[in-house]
Each structure stands twice: as structure tokens, then as C-alpha cells.
Amino acid sequence: MTGPVVLGAHVDQADVVAEAQARSMPVAQIFLGSPQSYRGPALTYPGGIPQLKADAAAAGVGLYVHAPYIVNVATANNRVRIPSRKLLQQHVAAAAELGALGVIVHGGQMGKGGDLETGFDNWRKAVDGLEAGVPVLIENTAGGDGAPARSMENLARLWDAVQSASGAERIGFCLDTCHAHASGMDPS
């Protein structure tokens, strides 16, 4: 089943609605805090989540939340994977409160020589444990030899892994065309 292609823009959370409208975009993507920090969501929009939710609804702008870049639920490194799962859960909960259309998260890295099968299984485990009130969309990765979401082959294997998890109906993919081009995929 296919639907319409909807284009949006990643904008600053301080003035989400105006930024989306200035670009004539029906959807906007935002961070709910620092993209490079394990700190939980921290919205700077005046009036916080309730006001942004109301303003976006009134303007007809759909919102997506991008999880911090450092989230890596695929890795075999417990010191990264465990805090990443917690941070992803915090962002998913905040996105649900915001009424977001979904949360976009990078597919992660296994590191050079890392076992991709472990990464796929770690994604399955992450989905099993995720309480998601909104869809979680795994974004393809631009680089890295140990990236579970880098190639079409890896994306297919990742999809198979997450589909075996409870809660799989809340999981989807977000195609970043720039990442696809940078990784050597032909987006056409």
C-alpha cells in the first residue's frame, strides 16, 4: 500500500509552526532537546508541549520528533545500548504527549567488524521493550560498515528482525534521501 509523499522540514523547536509555514511544509521535524546528549527531552517552545501541540494543530502542521543522534540501540556495548533504550523511551513518551506523528531514530552502528546479526537482534529486543504511543521510524544510515540500516539488504534484514518483536506494528522506516545517496544507494 502506498500513500502520498509528504515533504517536511527539520526546524528549530523554538518557532516550529512559523518555520514550517515559512517553508510551506505540512509537517515539521524537531529535536526535543540536545541531539548530542543523554539528557531527556527539554522543549524550549514557549508554553511547552501543551502549547506547541495546540499551535501545531491550529495551523494544521504535523509534527515528527527526531531522537538524539547518540541513540544506538543496535550496539553490543551495554554502556551505550542501555542508556540509548532509556533515552529513546523518554522521547517516544514525550512525542506521544505532543501528539507527534512519530519518532525518527537512527539505525545505529555496530562498529568496524561488529556483528550485524547482534545489531538486528538488539533492535528486536529494543522494540520488545518499547512502550510506544506513536510510531517509531528507523532512519537509514549514511555511512559505517557496521550499520544495520545502511544498505537495502541490511534494511530488509532489520525489518525482518523488528517484525518478530511484540509491538512491531508501531515500527516503520523513514527514508533519508541524502543518507541514501551518501551510502551509495540509488534513491530512484
Side-chain angles (χ1 to χ4, degrees), residues 5 17-19 27 29 65 96 101 132 151 158 183:
V5 174
V17 174
E19 292 283 340
V27 294
Q29 176 178 261
V65 169
L101 300 171
S151 67
L158 179 55
S183 71

Side-chain angles (χ1 to χ4, degrees), residues 5 12 29 32 65 68 81 114 123 130-131 144-145 150 166 177 184:
V5 174
D12 188 309
Q29 176 178 261
L32 291 179
V65 169
R81 187 180 67 258
W123 258 108
L130 191 63
E131 295 177 27
D145 292 333
R150 181 167 184 216
S166 65
T177 56

Side-chain angles (χ1 to χ4, degrees), residues 3-184:
V5 174
V6 178
L7 297 178
H10 195 130
V11 299
D12 188 309
Q13 63 164 284
D15 203 0
V16 176
V17 174
E19 292 283 340
Q21 290 176 325
R23 292 170 174 79
S24 299
M25 296 291 180
V27 294
Q29 176 178 261
I30 60 170
F31 289 113
L32 291 179
S34 171
Q36 299 291 349
S37 170
Y38 280 104
R39 291 189 198 105
L43 188 66
T44 59
Y45 191 83
I49 286 178
Q51 191 62 54
L52 176 53
K53 182 178 182 177
D55 292 349
V61 174
L63 300 174
Y64 284 90
V65 169
H66 197 299
Y69 295 135
I70 59 172
V71 169
N72 185 355
V73 301
T75 183
N77 182 339
N78 289 341
R79 298 174 95 189
V80 173
R81 187 180 67 258
I82 293 168
S84 290
R85 285 184 184 174
K86 179 181 176 185
L87 189 59
L88 179 58
Q89 181 63 64
Q90 290 171 343
H91 278 77
V92 167
E97 183 181 347
L98 179 60
L101 300 171
V103 172
I104 297 166
V105 60
H106 288 171
Q109 294 283 338
M110 298 307 297
K112 188 172 175 102
D115 179 26
L116 283 173
E117 291 306 318
T118 298
F120 300 139
D121 194 49
N122 283 343
W123 258 108
R124 180 196 55 78
K125 291 174 187 174
V127 171
D128 271 340
L130 191 63
E131 295 177 27
V134 297
V136 175
L137 307 172
I138 303 169
E139 185 177 2
N140 58 308
T141 306
D145 292 333
R150 181 167 184 216
S151 67
M152 290 305 287
E153 176 187 338
N154 285 1
L155 286 169
R157 291 167 63 199
L158 179 55
W159 181 251
D160 288 343
V162 299
Q163 288 305 294
S164 68
S166 65
E169 69 279 357
R170 298 180 309 257
I171 305 301
F173 283 101
C174 171
L175 177 66
D176 183 312
T177 56
C178 182
H179 288 178
H181 178 73
S183 71

